[in-house]
Amino acid sequence: MIALLARQLDRLSANSKLCMWLLLLGTMLALGAVQLQQGAKLQSDILAMLPILQQDALTQAAIDRVEQQLSDRIYIGLVADTQAQAISAAKRLMQALAQHPDSFTDISSANIDSANAFNHFYFAHRFKLLTEQQRNLLSQGQQDRLEQQALAQLYNAFGYANSALLSQDPLLLYPANLQALAPSQQLQSAQGILLSTQQEASGNTRYGAIVMAKGVGSVFNPNAQQQQLAALDASLNQLSMTGDIEVLKAGALLHASAATIQAKQEISTLGAASLIGVITLVWLAFRSIFPLVIASLTIATSLLFACVTTLSVFGELHLLTLVFGTSLIGIAIDYSFHFYCERLSQQQAATPAVNAVFPAASLAIVTTVLAYLGIGLTPFPGMQQVAIFCAAGLIGAYLTLLLAYPKLANSPLKPRPSTLALAQGYLTRLTLLHRRLRTKGAAPLALIMALLCLWGLLQLTTDDDIRNLQQSPLEVVQQEQRLRQLLSGGTDNQFILVRAQGEQPLLQQLEQLAEPLKQLQQRGVIGNAINLASYIPSHQKQQQAYQLQGLIYQDIEAVLGRLGLDLGLAPSLRQQYLDSASLLIEPDAFLASPAGISLAPLWLSPSGTDPTPQYGAIVLLGGITDLAALQASIAPFTQVELVDKVADISSVMAKYRGLTLTLLALALVLASLIFSRRFGIKLTLWVTAVPALAALLTLATLGLLGSPLTLFHALALILVFGIGVDYSLFFAETQQGKGVMMAVFMSACSTLMAFGLLAFSHTPAIHYFGLTLLLGIAFTFVLAPLIYTFTRTDK
């Protein structure tokens, strides 16, 4: 196949090949322009890199609801010495944020209308409501205690009893029910502002006011992100002249902003450093400007193919793809190195040099692209982008070698005997070392190396936590933790999903879950829970409350007499009770009302197309301190599950880490089959042994360094395989090793610069990726020349 393709290319003139290359280049430029006009964008959403989980429809709907509620929302805490200062600052901030409607909407604190909305909805259903205490007293025949409580309110100057309420609720049961609707929490409200107290170590009490707002547009969109940050800073600056106010901020906006800034810095610094290093390397090797131009052209073409292809496939380009993609510079330039080193070694023109490196370059492009496409088999859209980006970029560099070099890189090249002599000297020393080991016996050294490798592998641990995808600055994390304390735990990413085949069975399950959740709060396992059972009693519970209240209204005259109220109220009260017999609180009516509209996202109704209709309800949780205890408490409920997307994704990462390592082993087998037809069994084993040994030594070194094995290490090992095979192939193909040795040295240096710099990234995922490649390429560089010494020196 390779020989046939080489013969076909030989029939084309250098000018014809250049025209084909220019046509491809023009096509890619036009395609890129079309993509930009159609709205292709740069994406910074870290969530875009997460795996796609296979969930049932109801669970996925619940996850989408929760993410929709939590995403794009900013929380601001204003801490002051007095409550008045905190309230004043919150009001001014809300006014300032309202001046930026293009950036923020739904600006709120405490909802001053919520009490009125709840009262308006529930008062008509008062005969179907009872608190737990009221229910117990009535069921135990202790109605007199309720009457005593009512009398205490009647004669309390600060009580809530009035003639209008007494004429419709003589025992004053309704106010307690209304108060019990809100979940218990430490927060309070004043003047429409949500407040929390904070006890400092000095003993002083400070007051925190909470302001919330929803961003317009995704916080992961760079344009919307910058617009929201500018509006937030401008609004907060208006508070800087109003006394000692401490500002605490939390929300996805801050994490996304930190990720964007970090990614852009790393793209500019790592990419620029890699490019400068490559240019310096080329200049030192050839001392000519033209190889620099050709090398730069190769890199530019490679990046063009990479960006346009990625935009065409995905419609967007992730920032982290560009960070990973900086390593493409160190790989794409390998073709230029091998081409010019072949020319130096043989002192020949461009076309013969291209023909000389063509077989090894073709085998290398196949194996390396396959390695990248192996990354694309993972369920990570971000990693799929990296695979397409790098594979397309390498194809662009390969086509530039075949089509553009014969014409553009045919200028005279000054001899560099000293550089080639260094390469030959290195190979000669390896040959002498090889012979010495064969003479004196290499078994003890091999045994020591094997034991060290085994020890390192035994020390290797795993870590599949998705939090390693991004590490936000400490200041952002600390502010978020403090604000969570003000919010009494806030809302965590984990939540409970309850499901049932109908509305009433679902509400009954939520009611059964209420007591375990209450106990968890008392034990401090969770800080709070928002359960729809607090707001929508089941029909069964409503009917029980109605029957128990019947004990009051069946002898209402006696009750009014004991309370000292007008007996003339009895007929009206009895009639009101009887009229409400068929009036029930229904989920749809409550969630559509002003009282329940904010809770509507927690209710999941089946779509009309569902073959087996299933209802669901989300129970939001906050301040979780012990996930295992939480899981154990809900385990007895068959239709209740804890949805923990973080744990689910981490589990998927562990699965695909193992799959990736398996894929690496299969790639070695496949490469062996491909190479055996050209090199034979013996040389094929040497060629594939180099990347295999490099991978094992890398894993052992990671174990000795205490670096846990993650999916990103496994993905990097696939590239170690691809690049290691490249080096091995060129040594296997060459008859005179000095040119290949020089090219591999330059290639390894450029790759180490690119990947070595990635190892210094502050993003753990990128750091792991870069560290693995740094070690893997270093071991590959040491091992690859042994192919030449083992297979050529005895001839």
Side-chain angles (χ1 to χ4, degrees):
M1 178 69 73
I2 293 176
L4 178 62
L5 182 58
R7 287 195 297 270
Q8 294 297 326
L9 286 174
D10 279 341
R11 296 176 181 176
L12 298 174
S13 66
N15 288 331
S16 298
K17 293 176 183 177
L18 182 62
C19 289
M20 292 174 61
W21 180 76
L22 290 174
L23 181 61
L24 282 173
L25 209 60
T27 302
M28 296 305 291
L29 287 170
L31 185 58
V34 170
Q35 291 297 321
L36 292 176
Q37 288 181 351
Q38 291 180 349
K41 62 181 181 179
L42 189 65
Q43 175 64 268
S44 66
D45 185 353
I46 191 68
L47 299 178
M49 287 196 72
L50 299 183
I52 301 171
L53 298 176
Q54 298 299 322
Q55 303 279 13
D56 63 87
L58 189 64
T59 303
Q60 188 58 52
I63 291 173
D64 293 342
R65 288 280 184 90
V66 172
E67 289 182 349
Q68 184 180 4
Q69 288 294 306
L70 298 181
S71 66
D72 303 333
R73 190 169 289 277
I74 185 79
Y75 300 85
I76 305 158
L78 303 170
V79 183
D81 293 330
T82 67
Q83 180 173 301
Q85 286 178 323
I87 293 173
S88 176
K91 288 183 175 180
R92 286 195 300 274
L93 178 59
M94 293 173 69
Q95 292 173 356
L97 290 173
Q99 297 173 10
H100 303 277
D102 294 336
S103 300
F104 293 105
T105 184
D106 294 342
I107 302 163
S108 63
S109 187
N111 188 351
I112 58 177
D113 296 325
S114 60
N116 292 332
F118 276 113
N119 183 54
H120 184 268
F121 179 84
Y122 282 110
F123 189 75
H125 302 278
R126 62 191 178 279
F127 299 107
K128 304 295 174 59
L129 298 174
L130 284 175
T131 66
E132 197 63 33
Q133 182 195 37
Q134 293 167 352
R135 188 182 301 272
N136 290 335
L137 291 175
L138 286 173
S139 61
Q140 295 170 10
Q142 299 182 27
Q143 181 178 319
D144 57 323
R145 290 184 57 183
L146 293 176
E147 294 176 2
Q148 292 171 10
Q149 292 174 7
L151 283 170
Q153 287 295 323
L154 282 172
Y155 297 105
N156 186 346
F158 300 99
Y160 41 72
N162 58 63
S163 58
L165 181 59
L166 288 168
S167 66
Q168 301 177 82
D169 182 20
L171 287 184
L172 301 175
L173 302 178
Y174 175 68
N177 281 278
L178 193 62
Q179 187 177 6
L181 289 173
S184 60
Q185 56 184 2
Q186 300 174 1
L187 300 178
Q188 55 184 335
S189 63
Q191 302 180 41
I193 301 299
L194 198 62
L195 294 169
S196 177
T197 57
Q198 188 178 51
Q199 204 73 25
E200 294 187 337
S202 61
N204 295 331
T205 300
R206 301 195 77 194
Y207 298 86
I210 312 298
V211 174
M212 296 162 282
K214 186 173 180 63
V216 177
S218 172
V219 296
F220 300 108
N221 180 297
N223 294 331
Q225 186 183 109
Q226 292 303 315
Q227 185 174 332
Q228 290 177 31
L229 286 171
L232 180 60
D233 290 341
S235 300
L236 290 174
N237 286 337
Q238 296 185 26
L239 300 178
S240 60
M241 302 176 62
T242 59
D244 185 17
I245 302 293
E246 182 183 4
V247 178
L248 302 175
K249 295 174 290 185
L253 173 64
L254 305 175
H255 294 280
S257 173
T260 302
I261 292 171
Q262 183 172 295
K264 287 181 177 179
Q265 287 176 345
E266 291 181 355
I267 289 170
S268 60
T269 56
L270 301 184
S274 178
L275 189 58
I276 292 170
V278 167
I279 291 173
T280 303
L281 191 64
V282 173
W283 174 257
L284 291 175
F286 303 112
R287 295 297 175 89
S288 172
I289 192 65
F290 210 72
L292 278 177
V293 174
I294 296 300
S296 300
L297 180 66
T298 305
I299 293 172
T301 305
S302 175
L303 292 175
L304 174 66
F305 270 68
C307 291
V308 172
T309 304
T310 305
L311 289 174
S312 299
V313 173
F314 297 97
E316 62 183 19
L317 187 61
H318 202 288
L319 273 174
L320 288 183
T321 299
L322 291 178
V323 175
F324 280 113
T326 58
S327 61
L328 184 61
I329 297 172
I331 304 175
I333 199 143
D334 288 0
Y335 299 112
S336 182
F337 290 157
H338 284 288
F339 168 80
Y340 275 107
C341 288
E342 180 67 25
R343 285 197 64 192
L344 273 180
S345 176
Q346 303 298 325
Q347 286 297 304
Q348 56 189 346
T351 298
V354 170
N355 291 339
V357 301
F358 175 75
S362 298
L363 284 172
I365 190 69
V366 169
T367 53
T368 308
V369 168
L370 285 175
Y372 275 117
L373 293 181
I375 292 178
L377 295 177
T378 64
F380 287 74
M383 289 294 98
Q384 292 168 0
Q385 277 200 23
V386 171
I388 296 296
F389 186 91
C390 292
L394 287 180
I395 292 173
Y398 175 74
L399 292 175
T400 303
L401 168 70
L402 298 187
L403 302 177
Y405 276 40
K407 182 67 177 179
L408 299 181
N410 202 28
S411 61
L413 194 64
K414 295 179 181 180
R416 295 284 294 161
S418 60
T419 307
L420 291 171
L422 288 173
Q424 185 60 57
Y426 180 76
L427 284 176
T428 301
R429 289 183 178 86
L430 278 180
T431 302
L432 292 174
L433 178 62
H434 170 222
R435 289 174 177 171
R436 190 171 300 171
L437 290 173
R438 289 183 61 181
T439 302
K440 295 185 177 181
L445 179 62
L447 180 61
I448 293 173
M449 295 297 295
L451 290 175
L452 283 175
C453 186
L454 179 61
W455 175 251
L457 291 174
L458 291 175
Q459 298 300 309
L460 197 62
T461 59
T462 59
D463 180 9
D464 301 296
D465 195 333
I466 65 163
R467 295 175 184 87
N468 289 335
L469 284 177
Q470 183 64 45
Q471 186 173 358
S472 295
L474 183 60
E475 181 184 1
V476 174
V477 176
Q478 288 178 339
Q479 284 199 37
E480 184 174 274
Q481 289 175 345
R482 287 193 59 194
L483 194 52
R484 275 184 176 274
Q485 293 175 357
L486 287 180
L487 287 167
S488 301
T491 302
D492 291 339
N493 292 321
Q494 297 89 353
F495 62 90
I496 292 174
L497 176 63
V498 184
R499 63 181 75 212
Q501 298 299 321
E503 290 184 346
Q504 293 309 308
L506 178 60
L507 291 172
Q508 290 171 16
Q509 288 210 57
L510 288 171
E511 290 169 351
Q512 294 171 12
L513 188 62
E515 183 59 30
L517 290 177
K518 181 181 178 181
Q519 294 176 2
L520 288 173
Q521 285 182 266
Q522 293 171 347
R523 291 162 49 194
V525 174
I526 60 175
N528 55 66
I530 301 178
N531 186 350
L532 285 175
S534 301
Y535 304 93
I536 313 173
S538 64
H539 286 178
Q540 180 182 11
K541 191 172 184 179
Q542 292 181 62
Q543 293 293 2
Q544 289 174 351
Y546 184 76
Q547 292 170 7
L548 287 172
Q549 289 204 45
L551 300 174
I552 300 170
Y553 293 98
Q554 67 183 4
D555 193 12
I556 188 61
E557 290 85 359
V559 172
L560 292 174
R562 288 192 293 270
L563 293 175
L565 299 178
D566 184 2
L567 297 181
L569 295 173
S572 174
L573 284 168
R574 185 176 286 109
Q575 191 61 46
Q576 291 176 44
Y577 172 79
L578 295 173
D579 290 344
S580 67
S582 60
L583 187 61
L584 293 167
I585 300 173
E586 300 290 354
D588 290 344
F590 171 74
L591 297 172
S593 71
I597 191 68
S598 62
L599 298 169
L602 303 183
W603 183 267
L604 301 166
S605 298
S607 63
T609 58
D610 287 345
T612 55
Q614 199 172 44
Y615 288 83
I618 298 167
V619 179
L620 293 179
L621 305 171
I624 301 173
T625 59
D626 190 342
L627 271 174
L630 173 61
Q631 185 72 62
S633 295
I634 67 172
F637 298 92
T638 56
Q639 296 296 308
V640 177
E641 63 177 306
L642 178 66
V643 179
D644 186 353
K645 189 175 180 181
V646 172
D648 292 342
I649 295 174
S650 298
S651 176
V652 171
M653 287 183 68
K655 172 185 174 183
Y656 279 90
R657 172 176 46 79
L659 182 61
T660 301
L661 292 175
T662 303
L663 182 64
L664 177 60
L666 292 176
L668 282 168
V669 174
L670 180 61
S672 300
L673 294 175
I674 295 173
F675 299 154
S676 62
R677 300 192 60 181
R678 182 171 181 83
F679 300 123
I681 299 298
K682 181 180 178 181
L683 187 53
T684 293
L685 290 176
W686 283 115
V687 169
T688 54
V690 168
L693 286 173
L696 285 175
L697 289 171
T698 299
L699 290 173
T701 306
L702 290 172
L704 293 173
L705 293 174
S707 179
L709 183 63
T710 69
L711 175 61
F712 299 97
H713 291 96
L715 295 174
L717 285 175
I718 288 185
L719 298 190
V720 170
F721 159 76
I723 297 169
V725 165
D726 287 2
Y727 295 171
S728 301
L729 286 172
F730 278 101
F731 275 113
E733 287 282 353
T734 187
Q735 297 301 319
Q736 295 184 359
K738 59 183 179 180
V740 172
M741 188 67 245
M742 179 181 172
V744 167
F745 174 77
M746 295 179 66
S747 172
C749 287
S750 64
T751 307
L752 285 173
M753 280 188 287
F755 292 129
L757 290 172
L758 286 182
F760 292 98
S761 170
H762 293 290
T763 303
I766 300 175
H767 165 73
Y768 293 149
F769 193 84
L771 178 62
T772 306
L773 282 163
L774 175 65
L775 295 171
I777 299 305
F779 286 126
T780 301
F781 171 75
V782 172
L783 294 171
L786 297 178
I787 292 176
Y788 183 83
T789 61
F790 287 160
T791 59
R792 299 291 197 273
T793 53
D794 293 334
K795 294 184 178 180

